[in-house]
């Protein structure tokens, strides 16, 4: 019994060691934070139950990826493609802005870096991994058929050999290479807004200062200061609403009209989708303090903010990011410390 228990413990530890990278793979395949975690859990259960049949002809890692791929392909048979608002509708002028929600299953979802990005020793690998979970790239992946999606991720993100991918998918090297060429062509044709976002890892001094100025402008609700930080063609999205705005005038105009309740908000930094982001808490006029409102994801290029994406389903996102569901007012915090 002792040996059996030890074997079980070793297997659990061996499988668990791959959880983060498998979650990253499933997230890229599915575009959903929660579906990715469900897919990985299903993968782990299947691996655990069938481990006695694992003959060691491939590595444990390759075997797990084969299982995870099959799980994801099964989940994608319904054909649903996760999207961003700009993938579904045209930009809306502020004068016509209306907040129309769509079902959760419509949207590409945010993901904490810590859940999908292992810590490789090679900085170049880390940079590729971050770029491959950014919103624009994730949205582009959703345009690909499921098997092409798997081929592109395995070959270009995870740097698998064509022969390894062919073995995993049960196909030929020629078929893999053909699928990769078609996937590349599709991505080139459908270049996504935000694809030019450029964020160094770690953030350089200029980018850190830009974010500091952004926090000051947003918390102070200073639209002039915010306008100076936004690219003239900046985009703002707010899933689950399909509305999206473009340009500084419409974005700041929205924030001072339909979004005026966000005045006085507080921001807490988060690392999300390989990009800088913030958890936004807005004032609670009834109970005091601050309540969760959005996870913000910022795209940056050439020293300006080009994308400003607010995910509003706080009951789902804040626990995923291990964020508190309330902030006390500063005066309350001072009093508690005293």
């Amino acid at each position: 019994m002792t040996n059996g228990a030890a074997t079980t413990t070793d297997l659990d530890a061996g499988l668990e060691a791959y959880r983060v990278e498998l979650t990253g793979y499933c997230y890229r395949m599915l575009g959903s934070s929660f579906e990715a975690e469900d897919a990985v859990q299903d993968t782990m259960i299947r691996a655990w139950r069938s481990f006695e049949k694992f003959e060691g002809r491939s590595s444990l890692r390759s075997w797990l990826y084969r299982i995870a791929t099959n799980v994801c392909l099964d989940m994608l048979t319904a054909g649903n493609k996760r999207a961003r608002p700009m993938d579904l509708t045209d930009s809306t002028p502020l004068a016509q802005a209306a907040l129309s929600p769509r079902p959760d299953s419509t949207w590409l979802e945010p993901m904490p870096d810590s859940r999908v990005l292992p810590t490789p020793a090679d900085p170049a690998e880390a940079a590729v991994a971050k770029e491959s979970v950014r919103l624009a790239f994730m949205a582009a992946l959703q345009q690909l058929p499921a098997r092409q999606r798997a081929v592109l991720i395995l070959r270009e993100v995870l740097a698998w050999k064509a022969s390894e991918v062919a073995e995993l998918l049960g196909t030929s090297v020629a078929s893999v290479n053909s699928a990769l060429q078609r996937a590349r062509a599709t991505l080139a044709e459908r270049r996504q807004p935000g694809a030019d976002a450029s964020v160094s890892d770690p953030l350089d001094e200029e980018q850190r200062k830009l974010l500091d100025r952004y926090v000051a402008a947003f918390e102070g609700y200073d639209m002039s200061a915010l306008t100076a930080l936004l690219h003239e063609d900046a985009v703002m999205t707010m899933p689950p609403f399909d509305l999206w705005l473009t340009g500084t005038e419409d974005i700041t105009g929205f924030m001072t009209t339909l979004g005026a309740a966000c005045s006085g908000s507080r921001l807490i930094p988060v690392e999300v989708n390989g990009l800088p982001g913030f958890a936004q808490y807005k004032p609670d006029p009834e109970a005091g303090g601050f309540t969760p409102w959005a996870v913000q994801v910022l795209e940056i290029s050439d020293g300006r903010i080009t994308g400003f994406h607010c995910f509003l389903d706080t009951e789902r996102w804040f626990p995923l990011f291990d964020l508190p569901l309330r902030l006390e007012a500063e005066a309350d915090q001072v009093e508690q410390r005293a």
Side-chain angles (χ1 to χ4, degrees):
M1 183 176 293
T2 301
N3 290 339
T7 301
T8 299
T9 301
D10 291 344
L11 175 57
D12 288 343
L15 296 178
E16 195 63 29
Y18 294 101
R19 181 175 291 275
V20 172
E21 64 172 284
L22 284 173
T23 303
Y25 175 61
C26 293
Y27 175 59
R28 295 179 184 100
M29 284 290 292
L30 300 171
S32 164
S33 319
F34 298 103
E35 286 183 1
E37 296 199 330
D38 288 345
V40 172
Q41 194 60 29
D42 192 1
T43 298
M44 296 296 187
I45 292 170
R46 293 189 191 188
W48 202 91
R49 288 175 175 170
S50 60
F51 188 72
E52 290 182 358
K53 300 177 183 177
F54 175 55
E55 298 174 353
R57 286 180 294 184
S58 62
S59 67
L60 176 61
R61 181 173 184 256
S62 297
W63 184 60
L64 287 172
Y65 270 91
R66 181 179 296 112
I67 298 172
T69 300
N70 289 331
V71 170
C72 289
L73 292 177
D74 287 345
M75 294 174 73
L76 289 167
T77 52
N80 60 311
K81 296 179 179 179
R82 298 279 176 159
R84 301 177 301 168
M86 64 274 284
D87 303 321
L88 303 178
T89 65
D90 292 330
S91 177
T92 304
L94 178 59
Q96 301 171 19
L99 298 177
S100 304
R102 296 201 188 192
D104 292 338
S105 58
T106 306
W107 303 116
L108 179 65
E109 297 178 347
M111 181 65 109
D113 286 0
S114 60
R115 290 181 183 255
V116 293
L117 296 177
T119 309
D122 184 350
E125 288 183 19
V128 169
K130 279 198 169 186
E131 289 172 5
S132 69
V133 293
R134 289 178 181 163
L135 295 175
F137 184 76
M138 288 288 299
L141 285 176
Q142 303 304 301
Q143 304 298 321
L144 301 175
R147 289 177 71 85
Q148 283 186 29
R149 204 179 302 178
V151 168
L152 185 83
I153 296 167
L154 290 165
R155 290 283 285 120
E156 300 222 322
V157 177
L158 301 176
W160 285 40
K161 297 176 182 176
S163 57
E164 295 171 329
V165 178
E167 182 180 355
L168 182 146
L169 294 175
T171 188
S172 66
V173 170
S175 178
V176 166
N177 289 335
S178 176
L180 180 60
Q181 288 179 345
R182 293 197 302 274
R184 286 171 173 167
T186 299
L187 295 192
E189 290 171 4
R190 303 184 182 183
R191 189 164 182 80
Q192 297 285 321
D196 297 323
S198 176
V199 180
S200 60
D201 184 27
L203 296 176
D204 61 32
E205 184 177 359
E206 181 182 348
Q207 291 166 347
R208 289 195 301 270
K209 288 180 178 178
L210 174 65
L211 293 179
D212 288 343
R213 292 196 296 271
Y214 170 76
V215 171
F218 194 95
E219 291 189 342
Y221 231 58
D222 183 338
M223 295 301 113
S224 295
L226 187 61
T227 296
L229 304 178
L230 296 174
H231 190 277
E232 61 182 7
D233 295 323
V235 168
M236 179 180 182
T237 68
M238 293 161 283
F241 302 116
D242 57 14
L243 170 73
W244 64 284
L245 303 166
T246 183
T248 55
E249 186 174 344
D250 277 0
I251 291 173
T252 57
F254 177 89
M255 292 176 66
T256 54
T257 54
L258 292 175
C262 290
S263 177
S265 290
R266 294 293 175 265
L267 301 181
I268 294 178
V270 294
E271 295 181 337
V272 49
N273 285 86
L275 292 163
F278 296 93
Q280 178 193 344
Y281 293 81
K282 71 174 186 178
D284 184 340
E286 296 181 0
F290 302 88
T291 57
W293 183 246
V295 170
Q296 301 180 0
V297 186
L298 303 186
E299 292 168 333
I300 298 172
S301 182
D302 297 328
R304 295 285 185 92
I305 295 169
T306 55
F308 173 45
H309 307 289
C310 303
F311 294 88
L312 304 181
D313 192 351
T314 54
E315 290 186 2
R316 302 173 76 214
W317 304 134
F318 276 54
L320 182 71
F321 283 80
D322 296 321
L323 290 162
L325 294 179
R326 177 172 180 79
L327 290 182
E328 298 300 331
E330 285 82 349
D332 295 340
Q333 293 175 343
V334 171
E335 184 176 330
Q336 288 171 4
R337 286 196 294 269

